[in-house]
mmCIF file of all heavy atoms in Angstrom:
data_model
loop_
_atom_site.group_PDB
_atom_site.id
_atom_site.type_symbol
_atom_site.label_atom_id
_atom_site.label_comp_id
_atom_site.label_asym_id
_atom_site.label_seq_id
_atom_site.Cartn_x
_atom_site.Cartn_y
_atom_site.Cartn_z
ATOM 1 N N MET A 906 -62.451 0.851 116.502
ATOM 2 C CA MET A 906 -61.001 0.780 116.399
ATOM 3 C C MET A 906 -60.467 1.653 115.261
ATOM 4 O O MET A 906 -59.394 2.230 115.367
ATOM 5 C CB MET A 906 -60.563 -0.671 116.206
ATOM 6 C CG MET A 906 -60.829 -1.562 117.417
ATOM 7 S SD MET A 906 -60.417 -3.298 117.106
ATOM 8 C CE MET A 906 -58.649 -3.171 116.801
ATOM 9 N N LEU A 907 -61.253 1.766 114.180
ATOM 10 C CA LEU A 907 -60.806 2.534 113.015
ATOM 11 C C LEU A 907 -61.241 3.992 113.074
ATOM 12 O O LEU A 907 -60.906 4.773 112.187
ATOM 13 C CB LEU A 907 -61.334 1.892 111.729
ATOM 14 C CG LEU A 907 -60.801 0.485 111.416
ATOM 15 C CD1 LEU A 907 -61.431 -0.050 110.140
ATOM 16 C CD2 LEU A 907 -59.273 0.501 111.285
ATOM 17 N N GLY A 908 -62.005 4.354 114.121
ATOM 18 C CA GLY A 908 -62.440 5.732 114.243
ATOM 19 C C GLY A 908 -63.365 6.169 113.135
ATOM 20 O O GLY A 908 -63.298 7.315 112.665
ATOM 21 N N LEU A 909 -64.271 5.284 112.707
ATOM 22 C CA LEU A 909 -65.120 5.571 111.549
ATOM 23 C C LEU A 909 -66.488 6.128 111.917
ATOM 24 O O LEU A 909 -67.295 6.370 111.034
ATOM 25 C CB LEU A 909 -65.307 4.284 110.727
ATOM 26 C CG LEU A 909 -64.038 3.703 110.116
ATOM 27 C CD1 LEU A 909 -64.342 2.410 109.383
ATOM 28 C CD2 LEU A 909 -63.374 4.706 109.170
ATOM 29 N N ALA A 910 -66.768 6.326 113.197
ATOM 30 C CA ALA A 910 -68.076 6.844 113.589
ATOM 31 C C ALA A 910 -67.945 7.607 114.892
ATOM 32 O O ALA A 910 -67.047 7.346 115.692
ATOM 33 C CB ALA A 910 -69.082 5.696 113.752
ATOM 34 N N ASP A 911 -68.854 8.593 115.100
ATOM 35 C CA ASP A 911 -68.838 9.286 116.375
ATOM 36 C C ASP A 911 -69.437 8.379 117.448
ATOM 37 O O ASP A 911 -70.027 7.340 117.168
ATOM 38 C CB ASP A 911 -69.538 10.644 116.295
ATOM 39 C CG ASP A 911 -71.042 10.542 116.065
ATOM 40 O OD1 ASP A 911 -71.675 9.652 116.647
ATOM 41 O OD2 ASP A 911 -71.587 11.373 115.322
ATOM 42 N N PHE A 912 -69.299 8.802 118.684
ATOM 43 C CA PHE A 912 -69.662 7.955 119.820
ATOM 44 C C PHE A 912 -71.108 7.496 119.756
ATOM 45 O O PHE A 912 -71.428 6.352 120.091
ATOM 46 C CB PHE A 912 -69.393 8.734 121.114
ATOM 47 C CG PHE A 912 -69.679 7.959 122.369
ATOM 48 C CD1 PHE A 912 -68.732 7.095 122.887
ATOM 49 C CD2 PHE A 912 -70.895 8.086 123.020
ATOM 50 C CE1 PHE A 912 -68.996 6.369 124.044
ATOM 51 C CE2 PHE A 912 -71.165 7.369 124.168
ATOM 52 C CZ PHE A 912 -70.206 6.510 124.680
ATOM 53 N N THR A 913 -72.006 8.368 119.360
ATOM 54 C CA THR A 913 -73.434 8.051 119.373
ATOM 55 C C THR A 913 -73.808 6.960 118.379
ATOM 56 O O THR A 913 -74.895 6.396 118.466
ATOM 57 C CB THR A 913 -74.276 9.305 119.078
ATOM 58 O OG1 THR A 913 -73.970 9.782 117.759
ATOM 59 C CG2 THR A 913 -73.985 10.404 120.088
ATOM 60 N N LYS A 914 -72.932 6.641 117.425
ATOM 61 C CA LYS A 914 -73.240 5.647 116.402
ATOM 62 C C LYS A 914 -72.506 4.327 116.595
ATOM 63 O O LYS A 914 -72.615 3.425 115.764
ATOM 64 C CB LYS A 914 -72.920 6.220 115.013
ATOM 65 C CG LYS A 914 -73.744 7.452 114.666
ATOM 66 C CD LYS A 914 -73.343 8.031 113.316
ATOM 67 C CE LYS A 914 -74.154 9.280 112.997
ATOM 68 N NZ LYS A 914 -73.745 9.897 111.712
ATOM 69 N N LEU A 915 -71.776 4.213 117.695
ATOM 70 C CA LEU A 915 -70.980 3.005 117.905
ATOM 71 C C LEU A 915 -71.776 1.868 118.525
ATOM 72 O O LEU A 915 -71.403 0.703 118.394
ATOM 73 C CB LEU A 915 -69.771 3.322 118.793
ATOM 74 C CG LEU A 915 -68.689 4.200 118.164
ATOM 75 C CD1 LEU A 915 -67.594 4.475 119.178
ATOM 76 C CD2 LEU A 915 -68.120 3.556 116.913
ATOM 77 N N PHE A 916 -72.879 2.187 119.222
ATOM 78 C CA PHE A 916 -73.664 1.170 119.920
ATOM 79 C C PHE A 916 -75.046 1.050 119.290
ATOM 80 O O PHE A 916 -75.710 2.058 119.049
ATOM 81 C CB PHE A 916 -73.791 1.508 121.406
ATOM 82 C CG PHE A 916 -72.490 1.455 122.155
ATOM 83 C CD1 PHE A 916 -71.722 2.600 122.302
ATOM 84 C CD2 PHE A 916 -72.028 0.271 122.697
ATOM 85 C CE1 PHE A 916 -70.522 2.566 122.994
ATOM 86 C CE2 PHE A 916 -70.828 0.221 123.390
ATOM 87 C CZ PHE A 916 -70.073 1.374 123.535
ATOM 88 N N GLN A 917 -75.481 -0.179 119.054
ATOM 89 C CA GLN A 917 -76.779 -0.427 118.429
ATOM 90 C C GLN A 917 -77.651 -1.288 119.331
ATOM 91 O O GLN A 917 -77.181 -2.249 119.958
ATOM 92 C CB GLN A 917 -76.602 -1.128 117.078
ATOM 93 C CG GLN A 917 -75.983 -0.250 116.003
ATOM 94 C CD GLN A 917 -75.980 -0.950 114.650
ATOM 95 O OE1 GLN A 917 -75.697 -2.130 114.562
ATOM 96 N NE2 GLN A 917 -76.313 -0.209 113.605
ATOM 97 N N TRP A 918 -78.921 -0.920 119.409
ATOM 98 C CA TRP A 918 -79.917 -1.667 120.183
ATOM 99 C C TRP A 918 -80.288 -2.930 119.424
ATOM 100 O O TRP A 918 -80.694 -2.886 118.269
ATOM 101 C CB TRP A 918 -81.128 -0.771 120.398
ATOM 102 C CG TRP A 918 -82.325 -1.395 121.056
ATOM 103 C CD1 TRP A 918 -83.538 -1.609 120.484
ATOM 104 C CD2 TRP A 918 -82.448 -1.851 122.411
ATOM 105 N NE1 TRP A 918 -84.412 -2.173 121.387
ATOM 106 C CE2 TRP A 918 -83.770 -2.337 122.577
ATOM 107 C CE3 TRP A 918 -81.566 -1.903 123.491
ATOM 108 C CZ2 TRP A 918 -84.227 -2.859 123.787
ATOM 109 C CZ3 TRP A 918 -82.024 -2.418 124.689
ATOM 110 C CH2 TRP A 918 -83.333 -2.883 124.835
ATOM 111 N N LYS A 919 -80.122 -4.090 120.062
ATOM 112 C CA LYS A 919 -80.390 -5.387 119.449
ATOM 113 C C LYS A 919 -81.328 -6.186 120.356
ATOM 114 O O LYS A 919 -80.903 -7.110 121.070
ATOM 115 C CB LYS A 919 -79.077 -6.155 119.245
ATOM 116 C CG LYS A 919 -78.085 -5.482 118.311
ATOM 117 C CD LYS A 919 -78.497 -5.656 116.868
ATOM 118 C CE LYS A 919 -77.403 -5.163 115.935
ATOM 119 N NZ LYS A 919 -77.800 -5.325 114.507
ATOM 120 N N PRO A 920 -82.627 -5.853 120.381
ATOM 121 C CA PRO A 920 -83.538 -6.504 121.336
ATOM 122 C C PRO A 920 -83.647 -8.013 121.160
ATOM 123 O O PRO A 920 -84.006 -8.722 122.105
ATOM 124 C CB PRO A 920 -84.874 -5.806 121.069
ATOM 125 C CG PRO A 920 -84.752 -5.228 119.695
ATOM 126 C CD PRO A 920 -83.312 -4.872 119.527
ATOM 127 N N GLU A 921 -83.328 -8.508 119.964
ATOM 128 C CA GLU A 921 -83.408 -9.954 119.741
ATOM 129 C C GLU A 921 -82.400 -10.721 120.601
ATOM 130 O O GLU A 921 -82.555 -11.932 120.825
ATOM 131 C CB GLU A 921 -83.186 -10.276 118.265
ATOM 132 C CG GLU A 921 -81.805 -9.952 117.717
ATOM 133 C CD GLU A 921 -81.644 -8.512 117.241
ATOM 134 O OE1 GLU A 921 -82.534 -7.681 117.547
ATOM 135 O OE2 GLU A 921 -80.646 -8.214 116.563
ATOM 136 N N LEU A 922 -81.375 -10.052 121.119
ATOM 137 C CA LEU A 922 -80.390 -10.705 121.970
ATOM 138 C C LEU A 922 -80.926 -10.973 123.376
ATOM 139 O O LEU A 922 -80.423 -11.854 124.079
ATOM 140 C CB LEU A 922 -79.127 -9.841 122.083
ATOM 141 C CG LEU A 922 -78.294 -9.655 120.817
ATOM 142 C CD1 LEU A 922 -77.180 -8.655 121.087
ATOM 143 C CD2 LEU A 922 -77.717 -10.982 120.351
ATOM 144 N N GLY A 923 -81.944 -10.214 123.784
ATOM 145 C CA GLY A 923 -82.365 -10.281 125.173
ATOM 146 C C GLY A 923 -81.317 -9.640 126.064
ATOM 147 O O GLY A 923 -80.325 -9.067 125.608
ATOM 148 N N ALA A 924 -81.528 -9.713 127.375
ATOM 149 C CA ALA A 924 -80.572 -9.168 128.343
ATOM 150 C C ALA A 924 -80.002 -10.307 129.181
ATOM 151 O O ALA A 924 -80.569 -11.405 129.237
ATOM 152 C CB ALA A 924 -81.258 -8.135 129.232
ATOM 153 N N ARG A 925 -78.876 -10.052 129.828
ATOM 154 C CA ARG A 925 -78.244 -11.045 130.691
ATOM 155 C C ARG A 925 -77.890 -10.414 132.041
ATOM 156 O O ARG A 925 -77.438 -9.259 132.106
ATOM 157 C CB ARG A 925 -76.950 -11.576 130.063
ATOM 158 C CG ARG A 925 -77.110 -12.210 128.684
ATOM 159 C CD ARG A 925 -77.775 -13.565 128.754
ATOM 160 N NE ARG A 925 -77.739 -14.222 127.456
ATOM 161 C CZ ARG A 925 -78.639 -14.040 126.490
ATOM 162 N NH1 ARG A 925 -79.659 -13.219 126.691
ATOM 163 N NH2 ARG A 925 -78.531 -14.672 125.333
ATOM 164 N N LEU A 926 -78.116 -11.156 133.097
ATOM 165 C CA LEU A 926 -77.564 -10.835 134.401
ATOM 166 C C LEU A 926 -76.544 -11.921 134.738
ATOM 167 O O LEU A 926 -76.881 -13.102 134.764
ATOM 168 C CB LEU A 926 -78.642 -10.789 135.479
ATOM 169 C CG LEU A 926 -79.499 -9.524 135.580
ATOM 170 C CD1 LEU A 926 -80.524 -9.681 136.679
ATOM 171 C CD2 LEU A 926 -78.661 -8.280 135.814
ATOM 172 N N ILE A 927 -75.307 -11.516 134.936
ATOM 173 C CA ILE A 927 -74.250 -12.452 135.302
ATOM 174 C C ILE A 927 -74.022 -12.335 136.805
ATOM 175 O O ILE A 927 -73.635 -11.279 137.303
ATOM 176 C CB ILE A 927 -72.954 -12.162 134.529
ATOM 177 C CG1 ILE A 927 -73.216 -12.163 133.013
ATOM 178 C CG2 ILE A 927 -71.883 -13.193 134.888
ATOM 179 C CD1 ILE A 927 -72.006 -11.785 132.183
ATOM 180 N N VAL A 928 -74.298 -13.410 137.520
ATOM 181 C CA VAL A 928 -74.191 -13.425 138.977
ATOM 182 C C VAL A 928 -72.898 -14.136 139.352
ATOM 183 O O VAL A 928 -72.733 -15.334 139.095
ATOM 184 C CB VAL A 928 -75.415 -14.114 139.609
ATOM 185 C CG1 VAL A 928 -75.321 -14.080 141.125
ATOM 186 C CG2 VAL A 928 -76.708 -13.427 139.138
ATOM 187 N N VAL A 929 -71.969 -13.396 139.954
ATOM 188 C CA VAL A 929 -70.617 -13.899 140.221
ATOM 189 C C VAL A 929 -70.443 -14.108 141.728
ATOM 190 O O VAL A 929 -70.477 -13.145 142.500
ATOM 191 C CB VAL A 929 -69.562 -12.902 139.712
ATOM 192 C CG1 VAL A 929 -68.157 -13.474 139.903
ATOM 193 C CG2 VAL A 929 -69.811 -12.539 138.248
ATOM 194 N N PRO A 930 -70.247 -15.353 142.181
ATOM 195 C CA PRO A 930 -70.008 -15.586 143.615
ATOM 196 C C PRO A 930 -68.676 -14.976 144.054
ATOM 197 O O PRO A 930 -67.650 -15.157 143.391
ATOM 198 C CB PRO A 930 -69.972 -17.109 143.734
ATOM 199 C CG PRO A 930 -70.609 -17.619 142.481
ATOM 200 C CD PRO A 930 -70.301 -16.612 141.425
ATOM 201 N N LEU A 931 -68.691 -14.259 145.156
ATOM 202 C CA LEU A 931 -67.458 -13.649 145.638
ATOM 203 C C LEU A 931 -66.438 -14.699 146.074
ATOM 204 O O LEU A 931 -65.233 -14.440 146.037
ATOM 205 C CB LEU A 931 -67.770 -12.712 146.803
ATOM 206 C CG LEU A 931 -68.374 -11.360 146.423
ATOM 207 C CD1 LEU A 931 -68.871 -10.627 147.656
ATOM 208 C CD2 LEU A 931 -67.366 -10.513 145.663
ATOM 209 N N ASP A 932 -66.907 -15.887 146.465
ATOM 210 C CA ASP A 932 -65.969 -16.914 146.918
ATOM 211 C C ASP A 932 -65.505 -17.838 145.796
ATOM 212 O O ASP A 932 -64.696 -18.731 146.025
ATOM 213 C CB ASP A 932 -66.582 -17.741 148.052
ATOM 214 C CG ASP A 932 -67.862 -18.447 147.641
ATOM 215 O OD1 ASP A 932 -68.290 -18.304 146.473
ATOM 216 O OD2 ASP A 932 -68.453 -19.137 148.487
ATOM 217 N N ASP A 933 -66.026 -17.615 144.565
ATOM 218 C CA ASP A 933 -65.599 -18.439 143.427
ATOM 219 C C ASP A 933 -65.939 -17.701 142.145
ATOM 220 O O ASP A 933 -66.977 -17.929 141.525
ATOM 221 C CB ASP A 933 -66.284 -19.810 143.462
ATOM 222 C CG ASP A 933 -65.722 -20.768 142.411
ATOM 223 O OD1 ASP A 933 -64.842 -20.343 141.628
ATOM 224 O OD2 ASP A 933 -66.181 -21.922 142.356
ATOM 225 N N ILE A 934 -65.061 -16.789 141.740
ATOM 226 C CA ILE A 934 -65.337 -15.900 140.603
ATOM 227 C C ILE A 934 -65.650 -16.687 139.337
ATOM 228 O O ILE A 934 -66.487 -16.268 138.521
ATOM 229 C CB ILE A 934 -64.124 -14.968 140.368
ATOM 230 C CG1 ILE A 934 -63.907 -14.069 141.591
ATOM 231 C CG2 ILE A 934 -64.315 -14.123 139.118
ATOM 232 C CD1 ILE A 934 -65.073 -13.171 141.908
ATOM 233 N N GLN A 935 -65.025 -17.826 139.136
ATOM 234 C CA GLN A 935 -65.215 -18.570 137.898
ATOM 235 C C GLN A 935 -66.500 -19.397 137.884
ATOM 236 O O GLN A 935 -66.815 -20.028 136.875
ATOM 237 C CB GLN A 935 -64.003 -19.485 137.659
ATOM 238 C CG GLN A 935 -62.698 -18.713 137.493
ATOM 239 C CD GLN A 935 -62.775 -17.618 136.433
ATOM 240 O OE1 GLN A 935 -63.331 -17.825 135.359
ATOM 241 N NE2 GLN A 935 -62.222 -16.458 136.727
ATOM 242 N N ALA A 936 -67.251 -19.379 138.961
ATOM 243 C CA ALA A 936 -68.510 -20.129 139.011
ATOM 244 C C ALA A 936 -69.706 -19.211 138.751
ATOM 245 O O ALA A 936 -70.766 -19.353 139.348
ATOM 246 C CB ALA A 936 -68.659 -20.815 140.365
#
C-alpha cells in the first residue's frame, strides 16, 4: 500500500503455513 518495495519483494514464502484448497459448492457458495 505504501509502495515501499518492488513487486518481487512483496510476497514471501511461508512453508510453516501449509497450503489450503477451498472447495466451494456451486449450489451453496457459503458452504
Side-chain angles (χ1 to χ4, degrees):
M906 293 176 63
L907 295 178
L909 297 178
D911 68 39
F912 182 84
T913 63
K914 298 177 181 178
L915 291 178
F916 294 93
Q917 291 186 318
W918 174 246
K919 298 284 188 180
E921 65 274 12
L922 293 174
R925 302 287 188 274
L926 280 179
I927 305 176
V928 182
V929 184
L931 283 170
D932 60 0
D933 188 357
I934 297 299
Q935 298 307 317

